[in-house]
Amino acid sequence: MGIKVLAVDDSRTIRDMLALVLGEAGYTVQTAEDGQDALDRIDDFEPDAIISDINMPRLDGFGFVQAVRRVERYRATPILVLTTESAPELKARARAAGATGWIVKPFDAEKLVRALQAIAG
């Protein structure tokens, strides 16, 4: 089955692009439309890595990352933040919440796959 990636973004276009790019790279992808949707799906999917936007309704990326890190089985799961934001203070906040890395949108497919390979194999 390969490595499973949970991709969380409120933009259907971004979710579809992530599913396509990561699927072509051999990953099994589950998408979620915001942090709450992702938390509702995470235990059924049990991802090996997570990619999450920051600015989302219901539960934003910071809250989602913090919630994931509170669950024992996901404490070491790599989490890449994928967002239009690039401010250093937001990167620091994401790291403090438990994010593993940060990629700014629009993303380059090859760079995204390389970053995912670096953190999740």
Side-chain angles (χ1 to χ4, degrees):
M1 180 191 254
I3 293 175
K4 298 189 295 184
V5 179
L6 178 60
V8 188
D9 200 295
D10 59 324
S11 164
R12 176 182 294 278
T13 302
I14 295 294
R15 288 193 309 270
D16 290 349
M17 287 173 53
L18 287 169
L20 179 67
V21 165
L22 298 175
E24 287 179 350
Y27 294 96
T28 300
V29 182
Q30 171 77 53
T31 61
E33 62 188 35
D34 60 34
Q36 187 59 56
D37 186 33
L39 287 178
D40 292 345
R41 297 169 183 253
I42 196 166
D43 286 332
D44 290 333
F45 185 62
E46 297 184 353
D48 300 303
I50 298 168
I51 298 173
S52 179
D53 189 14
I54 290 294
N55 299 312
M56 298 180 289
R58 296 199 304 163
L59 181 60
D60 70 10
F62 298 119
F64 171 64
V65 171
Q66 289 171 332
V68 168
R69 292 301 187 221
R70 285 193 291 268
V71 179
E72 181 64 36
R73 72 160 55 148
Y74 302 120
R75 288 225 171 103
T77 301
I79 301 174
L80 276 180
V81 170
L82 177 66
T83 183
T84 56
E85 304 289 346
S86 59
E89 59 271 16
L90 294 178
K91 290 181 184 179
R93 186 174 165 201
R95 258 193 298 282
T100 310
W102 185 281
I103 295 177
V104 177
K105 293 177 193 171
F107 66 91
D108 175 274
E110 288 181 25
K111 286 182 183 174
L112 177 68
V113 171
R114 280 199 305 272
L116 199 52
Q117 288 170 337
I119 64 168

